[in-house]
Amino acid sequence: MAKPFLYLFSKDYNVEHALGAGPTQFTHKGIACSNVKTVKKTIGGVGVADCDFNFATAANTNEQVIDLGAIVPAKARVLDVKTVTEVAFAGTSLSELVMETGNSSSGAQFIASATIMAANAITAANLTTMNVAPAAAASKVYCSATPTGANWAAVLAGRVAVYVTYIEV
């Protein structure tokens, strides 16, 4: 089945364009185009492979802050932030793992403290109160987590994905 498109041709400038509709966004000459972007970063337990970041091993239950980097471009507005636990977090005596997500170290501007321990656990921003103004420079995103019942050294399994959706200017 052919995809719907709008064909534009300028006789004055001898230029032609094809605007189309892909499965999730508009296309221009077959290339997807949209100002809405989503970045996915993964955080794993101690030593878990195939993650962008990992919690560090430690003989304590102190909060660990993961700096995901300046993933929100300058002047962009964050539309949504959510986490999805792809692989359950596990460890000897681990009873809970909570995380908050914000735009400052240990901040919860996007997602307040919520459990991420079980597989398929989803946390999301409270969109009625999330009002983080765009910044002149690229903005960082931080995730802060704290285990209950076990030291970080015992958190040897698990992976959570963090999705940040924004409008790029």
Side-chain angles (χ1 to χ4, degrees), residues 2-167:
K3 295 179 184 176
F5 71 93
L6 176 63
Y7 187 74
L8 305 172
F9 180 76
S10 170
K11 290 181 182 179
D12 292 339
Y13 299 105
N14 197 24
V15 175
E16 57 187 58
H17 293 277
L19 300 177
T24 59
Q25 57 190 342
F26 288 113
T27 61
H28 177 245
K29 294 185 178 180
I31 299 170
C33 58
S34 174
N35 284 0
V36 177
K37 310 276 192 224
T38 298
V39 174
K40 175 189 177 185
K41 297 290 182 179
T42 55
I43 305 170
V46 176
V48 173
D50 300 322
C51 297
D52 297 307
F53 303 92
N54 289 87
F55 293 114
T57 187
N60 61 46
T61 59
N62 296 347
E63 176 183 74
Q64 286 194 23
V65 178
I66 304 289
D67 178 353
L68 301 182
I71 59 178
V72 179
K75 302 175 186 162
R77 173 162 305 276
V78 175
L79 296 177
D80 189 30
V81 179
K82 71 178 176 184
T83 68
V84 178
T85 303
E86 297 177 337
V87 177
F89 284 89
T92 306
S93 301
L94 182 66
S95 60
E96 188 175 39
L97 184 62
V98 295
M99 187 168 80
E100 39 297 317
T101 305
N103 66 350
S104 63
S105 182
S106 296
Q109 293 85 355
F110 300 131
I111 302 173
S113 183
T115 185
I116 61 166
M117 191 164 155
N120 300 315
I122 298 174
T123 66
N126 182 345
L127 299 179
T128 59
T129 60
M130 187 176 85
N131 189 19
V132 177
S139 302
K140 291 187 174 190
V141 175
Y142 298 86
C143 295
S144 313
T146 308
T148 301
N151 289 337
W152 280 109
V155 183
L156 301 176
R159 181 178 64 240
V160 64
V162 181
Y163 296 89
V164 180
T165 302
Y166 57 86
I167 298 176

